[in-house]
Amino acid sequence: MLSDQRYALARVKAPDAAKIRMSSYQDFADFVSKSKASLDPQHSNLRIQTDGIIASAYFDFRFMIDGKEQNRGSETWQLVRGVDGWRIASISYSSNLPG
């Protein structure tokens, strides 16, 4: 989800830009695998809550491309534990302008 400031900038480039974008892990994997740039996500302030069956992971991030911060925000993962271990059920994140 884009911050209000980032959304306003996106609408300047594309008036029909979406504030909330639905995507899949395949889309993200495609972006990462085809990028010629150096991608370096940096994470901090990790907090995990779990009862052993479900879990929530929350952290702050800075997404660096070729050494330059592209965006920053917070991210949360919802996880479930199956017979083969933990699996990510959903991911949500905010996208703010670089600091």
Side-chain angles (χ1 to χ4, degrees):
M1 178 173 190
L2 299 176
S3 67
D4 290 342
Q5 186 179 22
R6 189 139 184 128
Y7 179 57
L9 290 173
R11 292 207 42 182
V12 168
K13 293 180 183 176
D16 61 342
K19 184 168 177 66
I20 299 172
R21 183 174 60 103
M22 301 298 286
S23 186
S24 70
Y25 72 89
Q26 293 102 331
D27 293 337
F28 184 72
D30 190 52
F31 163 70
V32 169
S33 66
K34 292 181 179 176
S35 178
K36 294 183 182 354
S38 171
L39 307 178
D40 181 22
Q42 300 175 355
H43 306 95
S44 61
N45 302 318
L46 174 64
R47 297 173 294 283
I48 298 173
Q49 290 186 303
T50 184
D51 67 357
I53 301 167
I54 62 170
S56 174
Y58 187 96
F59 53 90
D60 298 322
F61 73 88
R62 292 176 38 191
F63 195 77
M64 311 292 286
I65 298 179
D66 290 335
K68 183 177 178 188
E69 184 178 286
Q70 297 300 304
N71 64 57
R72 63 174 49 215
S74 297
E75 190 165 329
T76 182
W77 295 7
Q78 303 305 306
L79 301 106
V80 294
R81 196 178 91 199
V83 295
D84 295 328
W86 288 97
R87 299 290 183 256
I88 299 170
S90 69
I91 297 175
S92 296
Y93 63 93
S94 59
S95 180
N96 300 293
L97 293 172

